Each structure stands twice: as structure tokens, then as C-alpha cells.
Amino acid sequence: MLNEAARNLAADFPGVRALFPFEGPPYLPFQRWARRAEPVHPSPLRQLIHPEFGLWHAYRGALLFREKLHRPRPQRHPNPCQGTACIGYLEEQAGNGQKDFLGRGCLSRRACPVGLKYAYRPAQAGFHMQALLAAHGC
Ligand code: B12
């Protein structure tokens, strides 16, 4: 329905085309475009991370104009993956007495199904997570 709406919108304006991320292969470089349009950064998970929406945003379509549009550049924000967001969150959980949380380790690492039987057990994961916090002076 959204696709139809974008196509209709483009049809109403001569010289405007609707483009979609799923059209391909080869796929259109939506993530590269997004980095020029929004304050997003690449995350280690390959999705772009937004300072407010985190990893919870996606691109549904783009409108291609014949003329160059002059838009203000997006405001710069530091990459949340390079800041203290991850460490601050772990510190907060540890501070709340959530020691079992440390034992589970990094959940995004655990989400990968490959080699799951080699995943660290709680004591070993906890050891590394504590070391990570200590390395950040927590
Ligand atoms: C093919 C594809 C997949 C394939 C990937 C196959 C493969 N091995 O590449 C599969 C089906 C596995 C997949 C899975 C998912 N995808 Co996908 N996928 C695409 C699609 C359609 C094309 C990607 C592509 O080849 N682009 C072509 C290149 C040339 O475009 P580009 O923008 O210039 O490429 C940039 C990125 O690829 C990036 N990049 C490339 N390599 C690396 C490596 C690292 C470490 C980093 C940080 C960045 C990076 O740098 C490039 C230059 O800026 C895009 C839509 C699109 N058109 O981009 C969605 C897209 C990338 N996917 C998306 C999503 C959300 C997912 C899933 C989370 C879906 C889900 N619910 O599981 C998973 C996440 C998997 C993961 N961890 O990456 C979103 C990402 C939104 C965002 N916030 O960034 C997109 C943009 C779709 C959308 N409608 O918004 N996807």
C-alpha cells in the first residue's frame, strides 16, 4: 500500500520517480543515500544506527527528482556505537544488581545461530563482561 502511495505520488509530478529498496539485484544504495540524508552511522551489525531510533528504522522508498534539491545538511551526531551507550547500559544493569545480565554477554553476539554450542557459559561470559566494564573504568 505504501509502495502504491509512493508510485501515485511520483506519477502526480512530472520527472519524479519512485524507487524501492527491494528492487534488484543489483540493489540501489539506500544505506549510502541514508547516510547523506540522516544522522545515521554504520553499526557493527551492518544496519545503520540512528541517534534516536537506534537500529529500529528502515527505508521504505525514495523519490528521485530530475532537479537537484537544496536541502539543509543533516545535523551531525556522534556514532552511538563508538560512544558510551553500550558501556553505560551494561554499567546501569550491573549497578541494579543484574549480575545474570553480565553472564549472558552481548545479546547481539548470541543472536547468531552459527557455532552456538561454543558460546561462552555464564561464568566465562561474566568474566569477559566484567573485564570490559573494568577497561572502561566502571
Ligand atoms: C540484500 C539485503 C539483505 C540480505 C543481505 C545479503 C548479503 N549478504 O548482503 C539479507 C536478506 C540477509 C538481509 C538481512 C537483513 N536486512 Co537487509 N537488505 C538487503 C538490501 C535489499 C540490499 C543490500 C545491498 O546489497 N545494497 C547494495 C549496496 C551497494 O548498497 P549500499 O547502500 O551502498 O551499501 C552500503 C551497505 O551495504 C554498507 N555495508 C556494506 N558492507 C558493510 C559491512 C559493515 C560492517 C557495515 C557497518 C556496513 C556495510 O556500506 C555500503 C556503502 O554505504 C537492502 C536494501 C537496499 N537497497 O540497500 C536491505 C537493508 C540493508 N536491510 C535491512 C534490514 C533491516 C535487514 C534485517 C535486519 C532484516 C531482518 N528483519 O532480519 C537483516 C539484517 C541482517 C544484517 N545483520 O545485516 C535494512 C537496513 C536498515 C538500516 N537501519 O540500515 C535495509 C536498508 C532495507 C530497508 N528497507 O530499510 N538484507
Side-chain angles (χ1 to χ4, degrees):
M1 218 160 93
L2 204 61
N3 304 345
E4 212 45 50
R7 279 203 180 94
N8 290 342
L9 186 67
D12 283 348
F13 296 94
V16 178
R17 265 180 65 198
L19 305 172
F20 298 98
F22 49 80
E23 287 171 340
Y27 296 105
L28 290 166
F30 265 77
Q31 289 182 304
R32 209 178 317 157
W33 291 342
R35 289 176 71 180
R36 287 166 57 182
E38 296 193 289
V40 289
H41 293 275
S43 75
L45 301 177
R46 294 189 68 166
Q47 294 173 57
L48 296 175
I49 187 161
H50 187 279
E52 184 180 352
F53 308 117
L55 297 171
W56 297 104
H57 71 285
Y59 305 101
R60 298 300 169 218
L63 293 175
L64 179 68
F65 292 80
R66 200 161 29 202
E67 299 83 23
K68 189 175 170 130
L69 300 183
H70 293 280
R71 295 185 63 248
R73 283 187 167 274
Q75 268 196 326
R76 293 270 153 234
H77 285 268
N79 184 344
C81 297
Q82 284 168 4
T84 52
C86 217
I87 299 298
Y89 183 68
L90 292 176
E91 198 185 3
E92 189 186 80
Q93 298 296 319
N96 288 342
Q98 306 258 348
K99 293 289 180 199
D100 62 322
F101 176 85
L102 292 181
R104 277 184 273 140
C106 176
L107 295 186
S108 55
R109 194 177 183 191
R110 260 172 208 272
C112 176
V114 180
L116 249 192
K117 67 177 176 182
Y118 301 106
Y120 298 161
R121 288 174 193 258
Q124 192 180 357
F127 171 81
H128 288 290
M129 296 301 272
Q130 294 281 8
L132 176 72
L133 286 177
H136 284 82
C138 309

